[in-house]
Amino acid sequence: MAKNWYPVIDILTCIECGTCVNFCSHGVYDKSKAPAPVVIYPDGCIDHCHGCGNKCPMGAIAYVGDDTGWAPPAQKEKTGASDCNCGCSCSSETKNASKRLTIEYLYLDLCTCDRCIGTDAVLEEVISVLRPALELAGYTVDYRKYEMATAEIAKQYHFLSSPTIRVNGTDIFGNVQESDCTCCGDIAGVAVDCRVFEYDGKKYEVPTKEMLANAILKHLDAIPGCSCTEYALPENLRRFYAGKESKAASTCSCGCSCC
């Protein structure tokens, strides 16, 4: 089993067809989240296996530690691709898809954390209002929500702070600002900081509808970015996941992450 070899999904290119999840027989992907390809057990990946990457119809899979020169077959077949071999979404084909609007909500908890729950509700309402107008203007709106349940998932998405809203891979609020979050601190049993949002000189733990709508509209023409930049899990999140794991033995039947 490989500890430095596992698949990384380009979420901007992936169409969530489930091909990779169904193909892999080593438990690397979380089948309960299918067809979304969520890497839950990276250590199960076989060293230098490109099986799921070879099957992916979009070329949306790359591998940590790959020094073989392998490239996704689907990307090789594309015309007009850039010279980048990182396996991410930086082909010219993707960059020309200016009418595709992928909105992603990345969060730690929707059972206990007031910030995640409140932001989720506001974002849902804003998207429901904006979607008809955006589609009328020719945009394809794709809204996705991802729980950063484990450190491995956080690394897969280059997660920096909770909650995060991205449009075409770009954080719509830019620089991360945080403050103490007692809710997530209770989940992990350690001090945890969560995100605050600044707007017109004021800071909010839960963004307002106005600031969310304005931020989304400002990023309508955001070009999907290259996901091959270096990433390290922030210390704040390391504490959260370590604390959460240490409390895993104390479970309840509520189905939430409050334990």
Side-chain angles (χ1 to χ4, degrees):
M1 293 185 181
K3 293 187 179 298
N4 296 306
W5 178 280
Y6 53 87
V8 177
I9 313 300
D10 176 5
I11 58 177
L12 295 179
T13 302
C14 174
I15 60 173
E16 297 187 356
C17 63
T19 299
C20 55
V21 181
N22 294 327
F23 173 82
C24 180
S25 61
H26 303 288
V28 175
Y29 297 96
D30 187 352
K31 291 188 180 296
S32 69
K33 300 293 179 63
V38 177
V39 176
I40 193 174
Y41 183 47
D43 285 359
C45 192
I46 304 302
D47 195 27
H48 289 83
C49 173
H50 296 102
C52 60
N54 287 328
K55 292 288 185 180
C56 178
M58 299 302 294
I61 299 176
Y63 296 87
V64 168
D66 193 348
D67 57 358
T68 66
W70 174 87
Q75 284 196 1
K76 293 178 182 178
E77 294 172 2
K78 290 180 181 178
T79 57
S82 70
D83 292 332
C84 181
N85 293 318
C86 63
C88 68
S89 57
C90 48
S91 71
S92 59
E93 177 179 331
T94 303
K95 292 180 179 178
N96 288 333
S98 59
K99 288 291 187 177
R100 177 182 177 184
L101 199 67
T102 300
I103 302 173
E104 297 167 308
Y105 182 52
L106 281 56
Y107 62 90
L108 285 177
D109 171 82
L110 285 181
C111 288
T112 302
C113 181
D114 293 337
R115 301 189 196 190
C116 290
I117 295 170
T119 303
D120 177 54
V122 175
L123 183 58
E124 290 270 8
E125 184 175 351
V126 168
I127 291 176
S128 69
V129 173
L130 292 180
R131 185 190 293 272
L134 292 171
E135 291 180 346
L136 185 64
Y139 287 90
T140 299
V141 181
D142 183 11
Y143 176 43
R144 308 176 182 182
K145 295 164 63 170
Y146 299 102
E147 179 184 2
M148 303 290 103
T150 67
E152 291 302 328
I153 295 174
K155 292 174 184 177
Q156 178 183 343
Y157 287 89
H158 287 203
F159 187 54
L160 295 177
S161 184
S162 181
T164 288
I165 301 123
R166 294 175 179 168
V167 170
N168 288 357
T170 299
D171 188 329
I172 63 174
F173 289 108
N175 294 334
V176 172
Q177 300 183 58
E178 297 176 315
S179 68
D180 180 65
C181 178
T182 57
C183 296
C184 288
D186 288 342
I187 293 172
V190 296
V192 176
D193 292 338
C194 283
R195 195 155 188 179
V196 293
F197 305 90
E198 187 170 357
Y199 186 69
D200 284 344
K202 296 181 180 180
K203 292 184 179 180
Y204 301 83
E205 291 186 353
V206 175
T208 66
K209 288 184 284 187
E210 178 184 349
M211 64 190 294
L212 266 182
N214 283 335
I216 291 173
L217 292 174
K218 285 180 180 178
H219 288 80
L220 284 183
D221 297 321
I223 296 174
C226 181
S227 60
C228 53
T229 55
E230 291 186 5
Y231 169 83
L233 188 69
E235 180 59 32
N236 180 52
L237 292 177
R238 288 181 186 274
R239 290 198 308 271
F240 174 82
Y241 290 117
K244 185 179 176 182
E245 288 180 6
S246 71
K247 293 183 68 177
S250 171
T251 60
C252 69
S253 58
C254 68
C256 296
S257 57
C258 54
C259 304

